[in-house]
Amino acid sequence: MAAVRGRSQVVRCHNVQPLKLLNPSSPTAACHVVLSSYGGGMVAGDTIRLRVVGQPGTTLFVSTQSNTKIFRSDSGQVAEQHVDGTLGAGALTVVFPDPVVPQTGSRYQQVQRWELAPDAVLLVIDWLHSGRMDQGERFAFASVESEISVRVAGRLVLLDRFGFRPDEHSADASAHFAGYQTAFSAYLVGAPTDARFVQLAAMFRQQQMPERTEPHFGLRDASCAVAVAKVRDNVHILRAAAP
């Protein structure tokens, strides 16, 4: 992706099955890329490797066409998605997919690695459903693993790993999902003096739930749970869970 005549545009794109990249027109100067798949999801053994390069001064919004469905794995094989991204000076990228929906018996692993210039801004969403909730499916998958790492000017500033296996862990435990069925994480990285980063960080803070100090307060009593943390001056994380 490059800046062309005041607009961010895809200048080189190549995809093979099962990944399909769509580039709809945008009403703004930003570039919009939609991730899709030929089969409506990922089957056991699928491996998607996505390389994103945002040249200096570009703005990119990445979304998905629908939920990322992870189909059953009878063979024990894992469906994998790997994202490697590089953002140049002043670039802004937002990755906001629909949720991952791992179906009964499925196995899924995703890894994201980002390299940022010191004045680039990155916002990444990682969103997981417990299963096909409309069909009463709840934590029936075999395993889900996720990892995101971000480096700024070569220095590691964010590393977050998550793994869950319903056969080994209790989804109802407060340390895990506390009875909720969808989990949402947002990662914001950028220069603390950048106006875009400042605006997004303020929006994060606005979502923070009021502190609860009652001795018998439990997460199950709330319709949702939201926590916001300033990990570093240039890293903010928002986590949310809901039914």
Side-chain angles (χ1 to χ4, degrees), residues 200-217:
L200 289 167
M203 294 177 67
F204 270 40
R205 292 192 296 271
Q206 291 173 7
Q207 311 309 315
Q208 177 68 59
M209 296 177 66
E211 292 186 6
R212 302 292 294 268
T213 58
E214 300 94 321
H216 301 295
F217 170 71

Side-chain angles (χ1 to χ4, degrees), residues 42 50 69 71 79 84-85 94 119 131 143 156 161 204-205 240-241:
M42 298 181 68
L50 179 64
K69 305 170 187 68
F71 296 108
D84 288 289
V94 175
D119 55 351
S143 65
L156 183 66
R161 294 189 177 109
F204 270 40
R205 292 192 296 271

Side-chain angles (χ1 to χ4, degrees), residues 15-26:
N15 57 259
V16 296
Q17 294 187 13
L19 179 65
K20 187 175 183 180
L21 300 177
L22 308 175
N23 181 210
S25 60
S26 171

Side-chain angles (χ1 to χ4, degrees), residues 14-15 32 34 44 46 54 58 70 85-86 94 104 111 114 121 135 156 164 172 182 193-194 207-208 210 228 242:
H14 177 69
N15 57 259
H32 185 193
V34 180
D46 276 351
T58 55
I70 312 300
T86 303
V94 175
T104 298
V111 178
W114 292 88
V121 178
Q135 299 183 29
L156 183 66
F164 191 79
D172 291 330
T182 185
T193 57
D194 188 298
Q207 311 309 315
Q208 177 68 59
V228 179

Side-chain angles (χ1 to χ4, degrees), residues 3-242:
V4 180
R5 297 179 181 177
R7 298 179 64 90
S8 297
Q9 297 184 11
V10 173
V11 293
R12 182 180 299 174
C13 178
H14 177 69
N15 57 259
V16 296
Q17 294 187 13
L19 179 65
K20 187 175 183 180
L21 300 177
L22 308 175
N23 181 210
S25 60
S26 171
T28 72
C31 178
H32 185 193
V33 173
V34 180
L35 308 183
S36 183
S37 63
Y38 288 89
M42 298 181 68
V43 301
D46 276 351
T47 299
I48 290 176
R49 299 186 183 277
L50 179 64
R51 175 68 173 156
V52 180
V53 178
Q55 294 186 15
T58 55
T59 302
L60 170 66
F61 179 69
V62 180
S63 64
T64 51
Q65 193 171 32
S66 64
N67 295 347
T68 301
K69 305 170 187 68
I70 312 300
F71 296 108
R72 186 183 189 94
S73 173
D74 292 322
S75 63
Q77 290 183 298
V78 179
E80 301 180 25
Q81 181 166 271
H82 300 261
V83 179
D84 288 289
T86 303
L87 301 184
L92 166 65
T93 290
V94 175
V95 182
F96 203 136
D98 290 289
V100 171
V101 182
Q103 299 182 5
T104 298
S106 62
R107 301 174 185 272
Y108 177 66
Q109 180 186 50
Q110 65 175 12
V111 178
Q112 296 194 61
R113 296 188 174 94
W114 292 88
E115 297 278 349
L116 274 60
D119 55 351
V121 178
L122 173 69
L123 173 62
V124 174
I125 305 300
D126 186 8
W127 193 358
L128 172 70
H129 278 349
S130 64
R132 292 171 290 185
M133 296 185 294
D134 56 342
Q135 299 183 29
E137 197 173 78
R138 184 174 181 274
F139 298 105
F141 54 84
S143 65
V144 167
E145 297 181 3
S146 177
E147 176 183 314
I148 179 171
S149 63
V150 181
R151 294 179 181 273
V152 177
R155 180 187 177 190
L156 183 66
V157 298
L158 171 65
L159 175 60
D160 196 26
R161 294 189 177 109
F162 169 80
F164 191 79
R165 296 174 177 81
D167 288 345
E168 301 176 15
H169 308 132
S170 172
D172 291 330
S174 297
H176 296 140
F177 293 92
Y180 294 126
Q181 293 197 63
T182 185
F184 178 101
S185 296
Y187 304 92
L188 174 63
V189 181
T193 57
D194 188 298
R196 301 166 301 177
F197 178 84
V198 171
Q199 182 179 10
L200 289 167
M203 294 177 67
F204 270 40
R205 292 192 296 271
Q206 291 173 7
Q207 311 309 315
Q208 177 68 59
M209 296 177 66
E211 292 186 6
R212 302 292 294 268
T213 58
E214 300 94 321
H216 301 295
F217 170 71
L219 287 175
R220 299 172 193 273
D221 301 326
S223 59
C224 67
V226 181
V228 179
K230 177 182 176 182
V231 181
R232 300 171 181 266
D233 287 342
N234 61 342
V235 180
H236 292 240
I237 298 177
L238 179 150
R239 299 193 193 277

